[in-house]
Amino acid sequence: MAKTAPHPVHPGETGTPAANQSGAVLNRDAFAEAKDFLPLDGIDHVEFWVGNARQASAYFRALWGFTPVAFSGLETGVRDRASYVMQQHDIRIVLTAPLTPDGEIAEHVRAHGDGVRDIAFAVQDSAAAWRETTARGARSAIEPVELDGGEDGILRRSAVWTYGEVRHSFVDRRDYHGVFAPGYRKVRKPAAAAQGLSLLEVDHCVGNVGLGDMDRFVDYYRDVFGFAQLIHYDDKVIHTDYSALMSKVMTNGSGRVKFPINEPATGKKKSQIQEFLDWYHAPGVQHVALRTEDIVGTVRRLRENGVEFLGMPHAYYESLADRVGDVGVPIDTLEELGIEADRDEEGYLLQIFTRPIQDRPTFFFEIIERHGSRGFGVGNFKALFEAIELEQARRGNL
Ligand code: FE2
């Protein structure tokens, strides 16, 4: 199994960088620079490998409002794994657990705990996507296959590796009309999902890689996938008194797929990225941001359902109005719910981060509501990292 992706290396040119007032470097030419040899129709699904998929599916249903739409496992003739497909608007999450003590899923869970295995792209031609990427240096994870769904048609897929043990599948559904994939069956009478949530689509997926590896994977997404660099945050931007990290955001040409890549930077204490790497025991997906158009209602409901979020200090909200102006929600409401706000030249955004959703301090979710801003909340980074450091200290990991 590939532990790391191959890495064609070209010293990076980043278009015409423009430093904004926060110190982040935004590349306004990114969308034009991205190459179109790999047309992506967005993110088809995100698959987690977990210890207990049945219970994980109940968590996503009862707390997050996802509806179970498809299942595969013993009852569908699959003997080594159970998978639940959870859907909310355009977000599809697949939860897969091992049924046997051996094999790649059990090994993955033993090493990493629960975590993201696959960020799958929706494509028009999965064989072409595989050919284009492997010809440019990607290591194949699944060669192009046609999965025969009988009267439901044929689903075509392939996959390549990226950082750590994460892979990108290419899923072509043009000739397939069945439930999620051949081998799955529809969940006929799903238990009621939590109501009042409006999570619409995956906004971005963030990868944590080892010290010194960020540029390698920036090059990888540029050379292999044709992505371009949208923003660069260095450790002068993302630091507190104690720790730091560096981040570059890669985007495809349509802007529908955005992948920030983080690496730890040295500080007096341990970077949150290093904490992730120590507990995940590999590079991996740190967080997935889910876009909503009703962050207030959605976060209120998530909190009622028991989802835990990072807390922000009162001082953050005292200065918020001066920094961001009117963001359509009273500051008191933002503080009550722990929602953060940020503004840049293009508009503003509202965002909030959960605590890690599994026992290990690894993966978490972000909820984001955008009003013009295509950024990632750089104005919140310092306060946010201080909040994370408080939790790291409680865990004995700072
Ligand atoms: Fe994010």
Side-chain angles (χ1 to χ4, degrees):
M1 179 181 300
K3 297 285 182 191
T4 55
H7 47 101
V9 173
H10 303 267
E13 74 286 321
T14 55
T16 314
N20 71 14
Q21 60 197 26
S22 64
V25 180
L26 174 71
N27 173 16
R28 295 182 190 288
D29 300 330
F31 299 109
E33 282 172 18
K35 308 292 190 297
D36 62 358
F37 60 80
L38 184 66
L40 301 176
D41 296 338
I43 294 187
D44 184 88
H45 65 273
V46 177
E47 180 171 8
F48 292 74
W49 278 4
V50 301
N52 186 332
R54 184 187 296 259
Q55 287 187 11
S57 71
Y59 168 82
F60 277 94
R61 177 179 58 74
L63 275 69
W64 288 84
F66 282 81
T67 298
V69 294
F71 166 80
S72 90
L74 292 176
E75 292 83 350
T76 67
V78 175
R79 308 295 295 177
D80 71 333
R81 65 189 65 190
S83 294
Y84 294 76
V85 182
M86 312 298 291
Q87 179 113 25
Q88 185 169 164
H89 298 287
D90 291 337
I91 307 165
R92 203 188 274 133
I93 287 174
V94 181
L95 303 160
T96 295
L99 294 177
T100 61
D102 302 315
E104 58 178 357
I105 307 168
E107 280 294 310
H108 196 275
V109 171
R110 184 188 63 77
H112 310 303
D114 294 358
V116 172
R117 170 60 163 187
D118 195 335
I119 301 169
F121 299 124
V123 297
Q124 295 288 312
D125 185 339
S126 72
W130 183 89
R131 275 197 312 274
E132 294 287 350
T133 50
T134 54
R136 288 171 167 80
R139 186 191 296 246
S140 173
I142 302 172
E143 293 193 7
V145 288
E146 296 195 340
L147 302 173
D148 187 353
E151 61 190 24
D152 289 331
I154 290 171
L155 183 133
R156 297 182 181 84
R157 72 175 296 192
S158 59
V160 298
W161 294 106
T162 179
Y163 46 77
E165 295 184 28
V166 181
R167 69 187 181 198
H168 290 304
S169 284
F170 301 112
V171 182
D172 164 8
R173 300 182 177 280
R174 282 175 306 169
D175 294 327
Y176 182 69
H177 315 290
V179 68
F180 182 63
Y184 283 75
R185 78 173 185 205
K186 191 170 184 226
V187 176
R188 287 204 175 72
K189 288 185 184 161
Q195 298 297 300
L197 294 132
S198 68
L199 299 167
L200 303 177
E201 63 180 358
V202 172
D203 185 89
H204 60 274
C205 302
V206 181
N208 283 347
V209 301
L211 185 61
D213 277 349
M214 177 180 66
D215 283 330
R216 191 154 73 81
F217 285 98
V218 164
D219 291 346
Y220 185 71
Y221 279 102
R222 188 191 59 208
D223 297 339
V224 170
F225 294 90
F227 285 21
Q229 186 178 317
L230 181 62
I231 309 179
H232 172 201
Y233 305 107
D234 66 22
D235 54 354
K236 290 181 224 30
V237 181
I238 315 182
H239 77 284
T240 67
D241 288 346
Y242 295 112
S243 68
L245 65 86
M246 295 192 288
S247 187
K248 290 181 178 176
V249 181
M250 302 304 289
T251 180
N252 80 327
S254 71
R256 290 174 75 175
V257 178
K258 293 186 289 289
F259 290 160
I261 301 167
N262 300 331
E263 73 172 34
T266 47
K268 288 184 205 154
K269 294 191 178 177
K270 183 177 284 185
S271 169
Q272 56 171 298
I273 309 307
Q274 191 58 49
E275 187 197 30
F276 176 100
L277 296 169
D278 288 351
W279 289 90
Y280 201 65
H281 293 278
V285 178
Q286 178 207 41
H287 74 268
V288 170
L290 306 176
R291 193 176 69 78
T292 179
E293 290 175 358
D294 176 21
I295 194 168
V296 168
T298 292
V299 170
R300 195 181 293 285
R301 193 52 59 93
L302 287 169
R303 283 189 178 280
E304 287 167 6
N305 294 347
V307 174
E308 295 183 313
F309 293 93
L310 270 181
M312 295 297 278
H314 177 65
Y316 169 84
Y317 295 97
E318 286 182 325
S319 58
L320 190 59
D322 289 342
R323 188 160 66 75
V324 301
D326 179 14
V327 292
V329 181
I331 299 288
D332 285 352
T333 304
L334 296 179
E335 180 168 6
E336 176 204 341
L337 295 170
I339 296 168
E340 295 129 50
D342 195 27
R343 183 179 289 280
D344 58 29
E345 314 76 53
E346 297 181 313
Y348 69 92
L349 61 79
L350 303 170
Q351 64 185 168
I352 191 169
F353 300 85
T354 71
R355 292 205 167 104
I357 64 163
Q358 61 292 303
D359 299 314
R360 299 193 200 190
T362 51
F363 178 88
F364 56 87
F365 277 113
E366 172 182 353
I367 316 291
I368 189 165
E369 179 178 315
R370 294 187 180 278
H371 294 266
S373 171
R374 290 182 294 181
F376 296 85
V378 65
N380 293 322
F381 283 179
K382 189 173 166 64
L384 198 58
F385 297 158
E386 286 170 351
I388 291 173
E389 281 167 9
L390 267 180
E391 308 227 332
Q392 278 181 266
R394 282 189 207 120
R395 294 190 284 258
N397 288 340
L398 187 57

